[in-house]
């Protein structure tokens, strides 16, 4: 049985508690002067990687946190290391918002260079909600995948993943190496304690560029326009069932 070498991609996004605002040009969500943090689904991924080590069912040799984005992304990598990741790789990219396919290609090269045999990543990031990177990476590597995991168990080289589906749960089993994407019910991420935050400052954080991996970040999609959703209209009250039926007929609902 080989030891686990876990790769956990993380992304810097607008904090989940902040209400997004569209910029004045209607081209994107406003990010200047807005609080950012680690994508919530990626927090689950880091937590699960650390828990796999703590369970001691399978020896974990390395937990590598990876992020691609502006210089400030190193903050979330340090947070990941404070939560338990051993080291980090930061692909610095200030100009472009990298698309899922580019990220998947980056991760493919990192997996090959680092000899990772398990990738745990959030099912989606809360900024673009693409939900594509994990699936694309599985396709590029030709690895089995289990998406939206609510429970992960590894024994030997066999990984069993439980995922919630409409009307129940589905259990998947596959041999490592494997791709797993995480859902909200998987675990409760721990807070990074002050001592661990201090220790994380001494953990290795390697900086690279897209060119180091032979990629240019060329965009294949163009955002035409971004608009805020229309304001919801207020509801109304009716005095009786007959009144409700009359109102629904008036609105053309029945």
């Amino acid at each position: 049985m080989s030891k686990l070498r876990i790769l956990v991609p993380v992304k810097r996004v607008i904090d989940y508690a902040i209400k997004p605002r569209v910029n004045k040009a209607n081209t994107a969500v406003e990010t200047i002067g807005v609080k950012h943090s680690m994508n919530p689904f990626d927090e689950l991924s880091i937590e699960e990687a650390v828990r796999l080590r703590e369970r001691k069912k399978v020896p974990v040799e390395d937990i590598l946190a990876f992020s691609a984005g502006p210089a400030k992304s190193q903050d979330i990598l340090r947070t990941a290391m404070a939560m338990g990741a051993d080291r980090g790789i930061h692909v610095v990219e200030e100009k472009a918002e990298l698309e899922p396919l580019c990220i998947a290609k980056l991760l493919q090269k990192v997996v090959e260079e680092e000899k990772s045999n398990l990738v745990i990543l959030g099912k989606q990031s809360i900024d673009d909600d693409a939900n594509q990177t994990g699936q694309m990476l599985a396709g590029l590597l030709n690895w089995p995948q289990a998406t939206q995991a609510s429970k992960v168990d590894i024994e030997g080289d066999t990984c069993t993943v439980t995922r919630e589906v409409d009307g129940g749960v589905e259990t998947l089993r596959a041999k490592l190496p494997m791709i797993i994407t995480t859902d909200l019910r998987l675990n409760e991420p721990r807070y990074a304690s002050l001592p661990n935050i201090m220790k994380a400052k001494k953990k290795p954080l390697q900086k690279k560029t897209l060119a180091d991996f032979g990629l240019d970040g060329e965009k294949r999609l163009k955002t035409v326009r971004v608009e805020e959703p229309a304001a919801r209209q207020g509801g109304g009250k009716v005095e009786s069932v007959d009144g409700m039926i009359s109102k629904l007929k008036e609105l053309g609902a029945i």
Side-chain angles (χ1 to χ4, degrees):
M1 178 184 65
S2 60
K3 295 181 179 179
L4 288 178
R5 294 184 59 83
I6 306 175
L7 171 63
V8 185
V10 295
K11 185 177 182 182
R12 179 178 179 266
V13 299
I14 294 176
D15 189 87
Y16 73 93
I18 302 296
K19 182 181 178 181
R21 294 180 292 105
V22 177
N23 62 19
K24 293 181 179 180
N26 288 99
T27 56
V29 171
E30 185 60 71
T31 57
I32 299 174
V34 178
K35 180 184 177 183
H36 285 66
S37 59
M38 188 189 303
N39 182 48
F41 291 102
D42 300 338
E43 291 182 345
L44 300 165
S45 303
I46 287 288
E47 177 66 25
E48 193 62 23
V50 175
R51 289 191 185 192
L52 286 172
R53 169 177 280 164
E54 293 172 345
R55 289 176 196 143
K56 298 181 179 179
K57 282 188 176 181
V58 180
V60 176
E61 181 181 350
D62 182 57
I63 299 175
L64 170 62
F66 171 91
S67 190
K72 291 182 179 180
S73 295
Q74 68 175 329
D75 294 342
I76 64 166
L77 284 169
R78 291 296 181 192
T79 299
M81 289 187 279
M83 292 174 67
D86 300 310
R87 57 196 178 97
I89 293 179
H90 180 198
V91 174
V92 182
E93 176 55 50
E94 297 286 352
K95 296 180 181 179
E97 179 69 25
L98 301 178
E99 296 175 349
L101 181 58
C102 181
I103 295 296
K105 289 180 177 180
L106 265 176
L107 294 175
Q108 178 191 16
K109 293 180 180 296
V110 173
V111 165
E112 293 167 351
E113 288 185 5
E114 299 293 334
K115 296 180 172 56
S116 305
N117 55 9
L118 178 62
V119 182
I120 307 177
L121 66 162
K123 70 172 184 178
Q124 66 194 76
S125 58
I126 62 172
D127 51 2
D128 60 21
D129 281 325
N131 194 352
Q132 295 175 342
T133 304
Q135 293 88 328
M136 287 178 171
L137 178 59
L140 291 171
L141 291 170
N142 197 27
W143 284 9
Q145 62 174 313
T147 60
Q148 297 169 250
S150 59
K151 183 180 179 182
V152 176
D153 186 53
I154 300 179
E155 292 189 9
D157 62 350
T158 300
C159 181
T160 303
V161 175
T162 302
R163 59 196 299 267
E164 295 181 358
V165 295
D166 289 342
V169 295
E170 180 180 68
T171 301
L172 305 175
R173 184 173 291 121
K175 297 287 187 181
L176 296 172
M178 188 175 181
I179 309 292
I180 298 174
T181 70
T182 59
D183 208 347
L184 289 175
R185 296 186 190 274
L186 179 59
N187 57 49
E188 183 71 27
R190 68 195 66 193
Y191 287 103
S193 65
L194 182 58
N196 287 337
I197 291 173
M198 300 307 293
K199 290 177 183 177
K201 293 181 179 180
K202 297 181 180 179
K203 291 183 178 180
L205 176 56
Q206 189 175 7
K207 292 186 179 181
K208 293 193 173 187
T209 65
L210 289 173
D212 293 333
F213 294 95
L215 298 171
D216 58 11
E218 178 185 358
K219 297 181 76 67
R220 290 169 170 77
L221 300 173
K222 179 182 178 181
T223 301
V224 178
R225 186 174 177 83
V226 178
E227 296 179 355
E228 295 202 20
R232 296 181 64 179
Q233 295 182 352
K237 291 184 179 182
V238 294
E239 299 298 328
S240 65
V241 173
D242 290 337
M244 180 180 70
I245 293 173
S246 298
K247 189 66 175 177
L248 289 173
K249 287 182 177 178
E250 179 185 327
L251 295 172
I254 58 174

